[in-house]
Structures are given as C-alpha cells and as structure tokens.
C-alpha cells in the first residue's frame, strides 16, 4: 500500500514541501529575471533563469507532471514580457527533458495529452518571441522535433526497463523451475532405492516369518537399517533446503554421498536380492568434483533400483572408469530388461539424463544384444583438476 502524505516520516514531508515551494516560486523568479539588472543585463538574467529552472528539478523527480505544468506556466509568463529568445532556450529544453521523464515513467494514455499540451504551451510562447511567419513556422517545427525527440528517448528508456524487468522475471522463473527439478531428482534418488529394498525385504519377511524366523529377523534388520539411512538422507536434503535450523543456527549438513559409498550401496542392494560386482578402472588418482561424484553415485543408485525392481537378475555389474578427462559409469545386468525405465515409465531415467546433461555429459540406455539392460554415463571432468587428491 503506497504511503500517504501523513504516513511519510517528517524528513520526507519536509523535503516534499520544499520541492513544491521551490517549484511554485520558479514562475515568479522567471518574471523577475526578465526585468532585473542594470539595463536588463543579459548575463544576470541568464543566471537567474538558470536558478529558476533548477528550482523545478526536485519536484520533477517526485511529480514530473506537476513540475512540467509549473515550468510551462513560468515560461509563458516570462514570454509575455517579450524577452530575448535566448533567455527561453534553457527553460524550454528543461520542459522537454521533463516530458522525456514522463515518457519513461507513464503509459501513452498519459504521455500523449501531456506532450500535446506542452507543445501547445510552447507554440503560444513562440508567438511572443518571434516575428514574421517564416521564423514562427521554423520555431514551431524546431519545438515539435525537440519534444518528439525527448518523448522517443523517454519511451526507449521505459521499454528497456520493461525488457530488463521481463528478463529478471524470466530468469527468476527459470531458477525456480531448475531448483524444483533438482529437489525432485534428489528426493527421488534418496527415496526410490531405499523404498525398493524395504518393499522386497518386507515381502520376504512376510513369507518366511512362520517357517524361518531367523530369515524374517534379518529382513526386519535390513528394513530398519535402510529406513534409518533414508531418514538421514531426507534430513540432509531438507536441511540443505531450509538453510538454517529453527533456532537460527546453521542446519547440520552431512557429506553428500559419492563413489566412495558404492560398497555400502552394493551391500544394501545385495540385501534386496541382487549381488553387485564393482569394478574400478583407470587412474585412481584422478580426483572428482563434488557435483560429478554425487551425479555418478545417483546414476548408479537409480540403475540398481531399476535392476531390483524390474530386471529379475541375480547379479549386475557396475564399472567405474576414471580417465584423464572423462568419468565412465556403466551398469549392466543379464535380466529381462527394465520396462520401468522406458519413456513414460517413471522419472528415474529422466532424472539420470538430467544429471548427466547438467554436467555436459551424456547417458545412454537400452537392451543388451545378449539379453539384459545397460546404463552408460559419460561425465566430463575439468581439465585443471589436481591429480593425487582424494576423491571428495
């Protein structure tokens, strides 16, 4: 809600009153300038005219429409004394500048009548300071061109501001959409694998609870461990989104998972009934940026989730090859394929592709010639990574 005059602080009310008082005084100073000085000194009158114009500037910043009206009134009143034309050049240019400010701040429905009114007042002024029809016509043309130029410049400024605001809004919308996608990917990757393991172990426990109590207890233990890990991952993700705890202190943030956690991931996948063979190739001293490390881990995690859910394969292979400029991640199985990874079958494959694309990499998936399914990701590595550093 805009502040009313009574809502403004005392300093604001005082400055507004001073701006209005100075603008109201400037027409009278114009008249004084036209009749001042010994022998009506041109230099003194030019100085007083400059002072009069400067008196309208504070109000022109606050209320350009009112400032323009007072400025034109002063110019016309001064012109009735038929001064030298040079004394009115600065006030007329100042009026044009105010019209340009109005063009930059207001729509056409306000600008057009304001500009026409200003032109009419300037033409009326010209009748007092010109002699001869040719001089009058050329003066009117010059006044119209100057006013048109000021209006066009003001509209250009308005359009640039509007375009900049639209760009900022579009950028903000894109940032929000990108953040929502990132959150969706992270939550999906955190939850999907664990829920798959829990569902399978719950089914195993339900089937063997009467005949194999020890096996049922193992299934329940796996469910408990997986649930705790999932809750920890959710707390980490939500804490990062929240940014701070309720008491104002920074929210605790556990380290993000990476390829160093593949052994633990393989163990939880084995609990779901799929044995994972891990192979690490290439140069182990090539360090990985955190975003690449996390993306590679999430791709492996989602791929193993699809194997558990859809492949019906007892084993799968995960190959991680660190090259000088590329990280290769490949997951293969000998099962019946992954129908849930087909287009339209879920968000897992979409999330993997998005993760690879955001890093400038690629991801290919599809059935293997001899049966089964494969997921292959190529993630580029920065050329200036230090070697010998530990993978984050």
């Amino acid at each position: 809600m805009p502040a009313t005059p009574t809502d403004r602080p005392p300093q604001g009310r005082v400055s507004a009153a001073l701006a209005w008082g100075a603008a109201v005084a400037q027409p009278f100073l114009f008249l004084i300038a036209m009749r001042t000085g010994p022998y009506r000194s041109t230099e003194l009158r030019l100085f007083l005219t400059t002072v009069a114009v400067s008196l309208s500037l504070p109000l022109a910043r606050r209320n350009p429409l009112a400032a323009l009206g007072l400025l034109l009134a002063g110019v016309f009143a001064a012109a009735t004394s038929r001064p030298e034309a040079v004394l009115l050049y600065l006030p007329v240019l100042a009026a044009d500048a105010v019209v340009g400010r109005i063009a930059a701040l207001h729509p056409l429905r306000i600008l057009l009548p304001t500009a026409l009114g200003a032109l009419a007042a300037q033409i009326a002024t010209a009748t007092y300071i010109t002699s001869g029809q040719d001089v009058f016509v050329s003066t009117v043309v010059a006044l119209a061109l100057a006013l048109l130029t000021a209006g066009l410049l003001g509209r250009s400024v308005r359009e640039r501001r509007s375009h900049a605001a639209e760009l900022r809004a579009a950028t903000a919308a894109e940032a929000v959409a990108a953040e929502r996608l990132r959150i969706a990917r992270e939550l999906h990757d955190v939850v999907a694998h664990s829920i798959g393991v829990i569902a399978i172990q719950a089914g195993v426990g339900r089937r063997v609870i009467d005949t194999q109590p020890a096996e049922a207890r193992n299934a329940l233990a796996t469910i408990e461990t997986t649930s705790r890990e999932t809750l920890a991952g959710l707390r980490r993700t939500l804490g990062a989104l929240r940014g701070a705890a309720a008491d104002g202190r920074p929210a605790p943030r556990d380290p993000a998972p990476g390829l160093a956690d593949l052994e633990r991931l393989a163990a939880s996948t084995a609990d779901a009934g799929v044995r994972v063979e891990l192979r690490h190739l290439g140069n182990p001293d090539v360090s990985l940026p955190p975003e690449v490390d996390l993306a590679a881990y999430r791709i492996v995690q989602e791929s193993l989730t699809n194997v558990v859910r859809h492949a019906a394969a007892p084993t799968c292979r995960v190959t991680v090859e660190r090259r000088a400029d590329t990280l290769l991640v490949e997951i293969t199985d000998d099962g019946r394929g992954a129908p849930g990874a087909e287009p339209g079958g879920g968000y897992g494959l979409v999330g993997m592709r998005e993760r690879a694309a955001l890093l400038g990499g690629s991801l290919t998936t599809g059935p293997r010639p001899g049966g089964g399914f494969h997921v292959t990701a190529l993630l580029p590595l920065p050329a200036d990574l230090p070697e010998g550093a530990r993978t984050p």
Side-chain angles (χ1 to χ4, degrees), residues 23-37:
V24 170
Q26 60 89 16
F28 300 99
L29 185 57
F30 271 138
L31 291 175
I32 295 173
M34 299 301 106
R35 297 177 171 84
T36 295

Side-chain angles (χ1 to χ4, degrees), residues 37-61:
Y39 307 105
R40 295 189 177 183
S41 168
T42 300
E43 290 78 8
L44 180 59
R45 283 183 289 170
L46 283 174
F47 171 76
L48 293 177
T49 299
T50 303
V51 174
V53 170
S54 65
L55 290 178
S56 64
L57 295 181
L59 185 61
R61 297 183 60 185

Side-chain angles (χ1 to χ4, degrees), residues 90-289:
L90 181 60
V92 169
L93 289 176
D96 291 344
V98 175
V99 170
R101 178 168 176 78
I102 294 172
L105 298 177
H106 296 282
L108 285 175
R109 60 184 175 83
I110 295 178
L111 171 63
L112 290 179
T114 300
L116 291 177
L119 181 60
Q122 291 179 359
I123 292 175
T125 300
T127 60
Y128 289 95
I129 60 174
T130 58
S131 59
Q133 184 176 2
D134 293 341
V135 175
F136 177 76
V137 171
S138 61
T139 301
V140 169
V141 171
L143 290 173
L145 289 177
L147 199 59
L148 177 62
T149 300
L152 291 177
L153 289 175
R155 292 300 298 177
S156 176
V157 171
R158 179 180 176 85
E159 290 176 0
R160 284 200 302 269
R161 289 176 178 172
S162 176
H163 182 62
E166 291 175 358
L167 286 179
R168 288 193 297 270
T171 301
E174 290 177 0
V176 170
E179 183 64 10
R180 291 180 63 182
L181 284 175
R182 187 189 69 81
I183 295 171
R185 282 194 302 269
E186 194 67 18
L187 290 177
H188 177 276
D189 293 340
V190 167
V191 174
H193 178 79
S194 300
I195 293 300
V197 173
I198 290 172
I200 290 175
Q201 290 298 318
V204 170
R206 181 179 58 84
R207 287 193 296 269
V208 303
I209 190 169
D210 294 326
T211 59
Q212 304 179 44
E215 190 66 25
R217 282 194 296 270
N218 292 336
L220 290 175
T222 301
I223 291 174
E224 180 184 8
T225 302
T226 305
S227 300
R228 292 181 184 277
E229 292 177 353
T230 304
L231 287 175
L234 287 175
R235 280 195 297 267
R236 180 177 61 249
T237 301
L238 295 177
L241 294 176
R242 187 172 61 245
D247 59 0
R249 293 177 299 177
R253 298 184 183 183
D254 298 330
L259 294 180
D261 301 301
L262 287 185
E263 295 288 347
R264 181 174 54 83
L265 181 62
S268 66
T269 305
D271 291 336
V274 177
R275 186 169 59 87
V276 180
E277 298 177 3
L278 293 176
R279 292 197 306 166
H280 293 274
L281 304 176
N283 184 1
D285 293 330
V286 176
S287 61
L288 300 180

